[in-house]
Amino acid sequence: MVAPEVAGAALRRSRVQWPSREAVALVGIAVAVVVVMLAFLGADPAFGVTTSNGPFTDESWDVMNARNLVLLGTWATDDWMLHLVNLPFSVSVAAVFTVLGVGIEQARLVSIAATGVTVAALGLGLRRWVGARPAALAAIAYGGATLVLYYGRLAFLEPMVAMWLTLGALTVLRAGSHRAGRVGLLGGLLLALAVGTKPSALAATAGILLAVAIAGWRQPPVRRWAGGAALSIAVLGAGWIGLIWLPNRSGISDVLRIWASEPIIAPLRTVLRRIDTFPDSDGFVALSAPLLAAGTAGWAMAITRWRALTPELRLLLAAATGWLVFGLGLLAVAPYRPNRYDLPLLPALAILVGIGARLASSAIARPATGRGRRTTWAAATALALVLVVPGLLSYGSWMRSATYRLPALQALIAGVIPAGSATQGDYAPAFAMRARALTIVSRPATGISPGDLYASRGVRWFVGRPGQAPAWASLHQAAWDARQSVVCSPWGSEQVCLWRLP
């Protein structure tokens, strides 16, 4: 007979399930990536990584509506209504602003958290199915990618899109379970959140769903997963139409005018030229070369050794393939494609790295001798270094020469511009982010906040380049000529100034 105290101790031990060392190590990879980014939270974006000026404008444009809500009490004060189409991101930023205050550093915490979650999800989500080391390689492949280290700490939509797509795609690993329908509902919810964060994620989402449905159509549980996922997306889509689009049709029209005006649908010759030039677009291939090569090798190995894959990994391989084919297909025909648009595709490549590493390690370590295990360790270490060193070297170079102008400028200008004032200019949302003032981005050619804003909105502050003037300047020439420069600073490739008008 077992003594009561012994039985009680055994019961207590059985109830406490501590994380394994492998799980802790995988979480540690994500923590390391987050710490590296947090260490340079206030650093300005490095110049020259992209041909787009987005790093010096779009951060503030993406968070402008959340900033308006917290400082001014309303999402939109003019025609700038991006929150209608990136609601999960805007709500997250608004929550952070409410707790920690408004500023570029606070906004970036959302992207850094999303990056950390994606890295952890790749490691922990794949561990059971490919093993701890291949899962760690997948997490490292994503977390150490050059584009991730650049954009993952900036307040852009893409890190959050990558997170939702990753979490949604990983649910296919449970698509063969007896709860496949419920898992599909969850997967569809996560994928719908990706689309809600950035509508272009619809291409990757469609690729994931279609590929999984085709790969597992003969399996009733997989059909239930696909049906559940499609139902979630349909219900949330209908909810968005009913609750957001219908009451805000004019606002959605404004959003369409804000986005790049050149249409995707174009003459065949134009589309073919876009596809032909896509590999060289904005340095995507050069900046992602290690992950692209390793992911492609992993995909090729998985296809050639299809029979060696478990049913779960076959579905995940299909999901990652559909994700990449549809996602790259959209970018290949898009007229405007800065390299940050490629970021949401990188988790799919990391998944392929994990699957390929699993197959390779099984081949190397068979039979499971000491020499085989040492060879596996050496190969995994070498691959990890190849994947992470280029990104870390680039990141180190950026941070060694980093400036910290924007947080200081935001603090300075918040004390200069009176509450209730109106500020205009493409850089106004960035420079005046912390000021309790309107920050208007005007694009008269596309109908975004047009007109005489000096008279109609009381604009008395302008943020722009020396020599740049708002469209209404000639209507108030005396006031424009009497403007005073308050502060000027290098920003990106330009000199940007805050001007005060009488």
Side-chain angles (χ1 to χ4, degrees), residues 39-65:
F40 302 97
L41 180 62
D44 300 326
F47 181 71
V49 179
T50 173
T51 57
S52 167
N53 196 43
F56 304 96
T57 54
D58 286 37
E59 271 196 292
S60 59
W61 292 352
D62 286 342
V63 307
M64 182 172 164
N65 296 114

